[in-house]
Amino acid sequence: MEDTICAIATKLGVGAISIIRVSGRDAISKVNALFEGKNLEEVESHTIHYGWIKEKEEVLDEILVSVMRAPKTFTREDVVEINCHGGILATKSVLEALLRTGIRMAEPGEFTKRAFLNGRIDLAQAEAVMELIESKNDTAKRLALSALQGSTTNLVKDFREQIKQVIASIEVNIDYPEYEDIEQMTEEKLEKLLEDLQAKLEEIILQSKRKQQLKNGIETAIIGRPNVGKSSLLNHLLEEEKAIVTSIEGTTRDIVEGDVNLDGISLHILDTAGLRETEDVVEKMGVEKSKQILKKAQLVFFLLDGSKSLQEEDKKMFSSLEDEKTILVLNKKDQGIKIKKSDLPFSHVVVTTTKTKDGLDELKQEVKTMFQQDEIQENDAAILFNARQLALASQAQEKLKEAKCALEEGVELDMISLDLQEILETLGEITGENYQDEILDTLFANFCVGK
Amino acid sequence: MYDVIVVGGGHAGCEASLACARLGKKTLLVTGNLNNIADMPCNPSIGGPAKGIVVREIDALGGEMARNTDKASLQMKKLNTKKGPAVWALRAQADKITYPKEMKKTLEHTDHLTLRESLVEDLLVEEDTIKGVMLEDGEKILAKAVILTTGTYLKASILVGSNKKQEGPHGEKASRFLSDKLKALGFRILRLKTGTPPRIERASIHFEETKLEEGSKDNLTFSYDSKTATATTLQIPCYLTYTNAKTHQIILDNLKKSSMYGGYVKGVGPRYCPSIEDKVVRFHDKERHQLFLEPESLFYDDIYVQGLSSSMPEDVQEQIVHSIKGLEDAKILKYAYAIEYDAIDAKQLKQSLETKLIKNLFTAGQINGTSGYEEAAGQGLIAGINASLKLDGKEPLILKRNEAYLGVLIDDLVTKGIKDPYRLLTSRAEYRLLLRDDNADLRLRDYGYQIGLVDEERYQRFCQKKKDIADVFEILKKERITPKEEVNAYLEEIGSTPLQAGLSLYELLKRPEMKMEHLLKLVKLPFDEAVLNEVEIEIKYEGYIRKAEQEAKKMLHLESMKISEDIDYEKIPNLASEARQKLQEVRPTSLGQASRISGVNPSDIAILSIYIKRGNYESN
């Protein structure tokens, strides 16, 4: 990390101002060499200054420059931020002048990497920065921000702390066997503790998976018999939210796949072939394929023509739909609804007229209810937010199960402690921590032992 | 001209000088007072969790501590027997007269070993190599290697309240200059502190007010070779009593008078061995603290009050002691004290315990920042072995973390360094399932024999045990048990499922509820208890043991990736700044050792690993 690096921190060519960020040992002196105004090497840290960028007597831009000295900066190195005029030419000329002083162009993510290597953020936070840059919707952004502030780190830390406490109370009985005043860990107590830990981890994993869905977009399928209004529902969703739709020309028919943004919830509409055609999906794709789609989907809109009575074929479909992820849409309200809600084995039923958008708001509300959007907005909860973190948590969960089985089989507490230490290590990988000395610290902080 | 000079006659010094002399090296042991050889200035016990296993390891390698304890034990206990075999451990109450006496006798009867009473105040060093020592009177003695085992005697001072004396335990003369000389040679000096509780007169204690704590009635021995220990017949008990609200009030009222809280102590005290002041302050919601009354010797009347370490002035100590149940009329024979002393930063040592700065200079025991007789003895043995191997031009004995607690101890010291005096704990060993009390000989005796500290007779006995273990395994795997009526009746009796078809004895023993003692009711296995015990553990905990071995294998792989001595950490791109600094300080010899340095994170190890691999590739 000897080099000083720079990069344009804002989107090139968009907006009235562009920011160029410079970080590294020579950040201040090198920018100062190009700067006409105060001597930046002498100004106080975390101050902003007006001046000009000049190279060989040629004025390149009028700028504001922020000087931030290590260690209280994003990278923990000296950082200079140059606010120059937006527009490709002005920004690029300043950037190029910087590069000519020997400052190197930063690689993608290099500022974050430096923050990580200099110990300002941990692994989970570094991942959060990446997520933040890539986030596609509000939910994703909020989750990433909250993780950057340390929520994921703290979530893991808190959980590991609890495991450490359990380990310490087993270990203290081993190293100080005759201290009867110390609470003795017993099989019964440990079983209870393991159950608690299991339940907590289960909850963390569940919540994380759920919110990951929201972040990545909920895999959604729209199905129903021909002419029930599938394509108009899709069109409404797409048009209203100005969603990004990619329409790929298939070999024999149109395939539609696209993202729909519903007040912060992304729906990822799955390739339910022939959606724009008036053909029966089940018939066209074959039963196997449609089952696969239904299995993959996290949300299913099942459309019925409400003005006609229930068909045998529809009833057959009911059994292959899971209630908790299905919204049954009774369409064509304008023509009079003939199907009774009570005849339908589903908890989520919405009545619409897709032709006039009647009932669409109710449908959106139903989606939000199903995915607990309200709860998430309030509680921008700490979650594990990528596949790596989740995989580690699941591994830990598996090991926790094994430990509990072993305990039930009569394996001694000190052996279960070894299982727990393994779990601690696995979870520590989420934030990149080592556990080696942590247990001893916990042990001596909590127990009064020794001659 | 000696081959080796050992400076200091404590537990480290005894093992070091015995190892050197037994390996044929002309050895001199210099110590301040010949009557204090193998002295036990603190608790009258040897062993305990982790430490007891170290004593077994010392025995397996051919050291003396286990055998000597068996000649001097007052009481023996096997601890943690309700827990798994990985944490079983022996502990002896040892006689403070007999133990040193027996050890001194052994030293005196060892060939090639000379004892001498004097203080060493300087080291003779030429071209970064040790050449000998200089005594307090200026006499120079030359040697090819020197082992420093100075214990708490480097610039020692004893503190009782605000009273501070420049002396070692028992009012012995402390070494005033040696630590400055070490500093001048480039060693980083730490100031450490430890303490000891008061001793009270046996006759003045109301034992009827306390709880009796007896030892094991079994014939337990520390050494794999002892037939019996004195404890088996002596069976001297200990007693248990407690502090109370009144005690705590006295302590709180007088807190500022203690050396610690009065600010008279500069050294860092051990976390695992807090003074009674610390306990009362830090755990103020605790109503009482346990105190064990332990006999120090058959030959005098002192009772050691374990749990009552203190640096209070004498008058306050009187009040404290008399507030305790059973000790109302107790007569204090010796007041509790704190002791401060200098130690070196063990990060300046190699894994062989040779210093990185001065060739052929070794250090062991409290000078390296440890505490405890066992930790000292273990290091002394390893330093003695490695000094001898070095003089013979051989590779040092470096025990790995999956081989011995001694390996864990030394690796921790040289890799992590210490902030407070270091004590071994089972939780420090990540492969403790492999480092058991029962298998120290299986782990280490081959080393002891190859080096030459285990004689032929002892080694043959060990080989027979190994063969017996293999035989029992063979029998259990081969022999089958059939669902006969009496077999099933017995199985039901012990709560095990009756057999439907034949089963190997091995599979039967694998059942969670089945124990070796049960199996012995069904079949005859004419082997020693130790042999059967070993086989039982190996079978019952096979899954866990295999897992630990797998983990160890991963560690050994990292360990096998050597880091060259001249590596320049400044040149490695992308290392975190803290890691760079720590690596520079410790200069680990392998990636495995690097990974254990605190402040060096997995990402740094990954970067380092790539750098090393690339380096190897380029140099090829």
Side-chain angles (χ1 to χ4, degrees), chain B residues 294-470:
Chain B
E294 304 178 4
E296 292 212 323
S297 171
L298 290 178
F299 306 99
Y300 60 83
D301 272 344
D302 291 35
I303 298 288
Y304 177 93
V305 190
Q306 201 225 94
L308 206 64
S309 277
S310 174
S311 61
M312 284 288 188
E314 295 173 0
D315 59 321
V316 183
Q317 287 193 34
E318 292 279 352
Q319 290 178 50
I320 292 172
V321 166
H322 294 148
S323 71
I324 294 161
K325 202 169 169 196
L327 305 184
E328 293 86 349
D329 302 310
K331 186 175 166 207
I332 300 183
L333 296 175
K334 202 168 156 203
Y335 291 97
Y337 61 84
I339 180 165
E340 276 188 305
Y341 54 97
D342 281 354
I344 61 167
D345 181 353
K347 292 202 291 293
Q348 293 178 294
L349 301 177
K350 300 180 187 176
Q351 304 249 6
S352 62
L353 294 181
E354 186 182 12
T355 66
K356 289 176 186 169
L357 290 167
I358 311 290
K359 286 188 201 82
N360 290 2
L361 176 65
F362 293 74
T363 59
Q366 273 169 306
I367 187 173
N368 290 345
T370 58
S371 105
Y373 311 142
E374 306 80 355
E375 287 89 340
Q379 289 173 68
L381 176 62
I382 298 291
I385 288 173
N386 283 335
S388 305
L389 289 174
K390 178 106 197 251
L391 296 187
D392 291 342
K394 290 182 187 160
E395 284 299 308
L397 172 70
I398 293 167
L399 298 173
K400 301 205 174 64
R401 297 182 76 90
N402 63 327
E403 286 182 313
Y405 269 96
L406 279 173
V408 174
L409 164 72
I410 293 171
D411 183 60
D412 276 352
L413 287 177
V414 305
T415 307
K416 298 180 180 173
I418 56 126
K419 291 190 194 74
D420 60 334
Y422 178 103
R423 174 190 164 160
L424 257 181
L425 296 160
T426 54
S427 6
R428 296 196 195 267
E430 50 281 73
Y431 315 109
R432 70 181 179 213
L433 200 52
L434 307 177
L435 311 182
R436 303 186 308 266
D437 173 82
D438 58 274
N439 70 358
D441 54 345
L442 296 171
R443 290 184 272 127
L444 302 173
R445 192 138 270 195
D446 281 328
Y447 289 133
Y449 179 68
Q450 281 155 20
I451 290 162
L453 285 178
V454 172
D455 63 33
E456 198 59 41
E457 187 201 332
R458 292 169 79 194
Y459 189 63
Q460 284 315 319
R461 207 157 42 227
F462 163 71
C463 291
Q464 182 62 43
K465 179 179 169 186
K466 238 166 62 171
K467 186 177 172 298
D468 286 351
I469 290 170

Side-chain angles (χ1 to χ4, degrees), chain B residues 579-596:
Chain B
R580 199 185 297 272
Q581 181 213 327
K582 291 283 174 62
L583 287 165
Q584 187 58 40
E585 187 183 329
V586 177
R587 302 202 65 81
T589 54
S590 71
L591 212 52
Q593 195 191 355
S595 71
R596 291 188 294 273

Side-chain angles (χ1 to χ4, degrees), chain A residues 1 113 116-118 171 173-181 406 409 411-412 414-419 421-422 432 434-437 440-441 443-451, chain B residues 42 49 77 80 83-84 87 91 240 271-274 279 282-283 286 288-290 292 304 306-309 416 423 425-428 432-433 512 541 544 547 574-577 600:
Chain A
M1 286 183 290
K113 189 169 117 193
F116 170 64
L117 291 176
N118 287 325
E171 296 293 309
N173 292 159
I174 296 169
D175 278 314
Y176 297 90
E178 287 167 311
Y179 279 70
E180 291 153 7
D181 272 10
E409 270 181 20
V411 173
E412 292 87 350
D414 57 295
M415 312 291 262
I416 308 292
S417 172
L418 297 179
D419 289 331
Q421 289 175 34
E422 212 185 316
N434 275 338
Y435 83 99
Q436 287 156 348
D437 297 322
L440 285 182
D441 290 339
L443 197 153
F444 291 120
N446 290 349
F447 300 101
C448 182
V449 284
K451 60 190 180 180
Chain B
C42 198
K77 252 189 182 176
N80 284 332
K83 303 188 181 83
V87 298
R91 190 198 53 214
L240 174 63
R271 290 186 295 175
Y272 52 82
C273 183
K279 290 189 217 178
R282 286 186 49 214
F283 299 91
K286 238 173 151 244
R288 60 178 198 177
H289 295 279
Q290 256 175 325
F292 287 97
Y304 177 93
Q306 201 225 94
L308 206 64
S309 277
K416 298 180 180 173
R423 174 190 164 160
L425 296 160
T426 54
S427 6
R428 296 196 195 267
R432 70 181 179 213
L433 200 52
Y541 296 93
Y544 276 93
K547 204 156 93 180
N574 288 337
L575 274 182
S577 352
V600 177

Side-chain angles (χ1 to χ4, degrees), chain A residues 127-280:
Chain A
E127 285 175 334
V129 174
M130 296 307 173
E131 292 277 335
L132 187 62
I133 294 164
E134 287 164 13
S135 52
K136 279 189 271 184
N137 55 37
D138 285 353
T139 311
K141 203 168 88 188
R142 272 202 311 276
L143 291 172
L145 265 175
S146 126
L148 179 57
Q149 285 158 9
S151 67
T152 300
T153 305
N154 288 335
L155 177 80
V156 176
K157 234 185 218 164
D158 286 352
F159 189 73
R160 291 181 79 234
E161 197 52 47
Q162 291 172 36
I163 298 179
K164 268 188 256 168
Q165 298 281 354
V166 178
I167 295 172
S169 50
I170 299 174
E171 296 293 309
V172 75
N173 292 159
I174 296 169
D175 278 314
Y176 297 90
E178 287 167 311
Y179 279 70
E180 291 153 7
D181 272 10
I182 295 171
E183 198 185 342
Q184 298 291 308
M185 181 58 85
T186 62
E187 279 78 10
E188 296 74 35
K189 278 188 215 163
L190 186 58
E191 201 173 333
K192 178 80 191 43
L193 285 168
L194 290 185
E195 270 167 27
D196 289 353
L197 288 174
Q198 239 180 334
K200 267 183 199 142
L201 191 54
E202 189 84 59
E203 181 63 24
I204 291 174
I205 293 174
L206 201 82
Q207 283 290 332
S208 302
K209 280 191 178 157
R210 185 164 233 151
K211 285 175 193 168
Q212 277 209 339
Q213 285 176 2
L214 292 170
K215 194 188 75 176
N216 299 333
I218 298 160
E219 307 271 357
T220 307
I222 303 179
I223 60 165
R225 287 160 41 75
N227 279 324
V228 291
K230 299 190 296 284
S231 38
S232 36
L233 174 63
L234 177 69
N235 285 337
H236 284 315
L237 290 173
L238 297 183
E239 282 161 24
E240 283 213 348
E241 306 299 337
K242 296 185 187 66
I244 316 138
V245 183
T246 43
S247 187
I248 304 153
E249 197 68 32
T251 42
T252 55
R253 59 195 147 82
D254 275 347
I255 297 168
V256 174
E257 228 181 41
D259 290 320
V260 174
N261 200 332
L262 275 188
D263 299 344
I265 300 186
S266 288
L267 300 188
H268 182 74
I269 310 282
L270 289 171
D271 166 21
T272 34
L275 208 53
R276 284 179 187 277
E277 317 276 312
T278 51
E279 282 163 304
D280 189 320

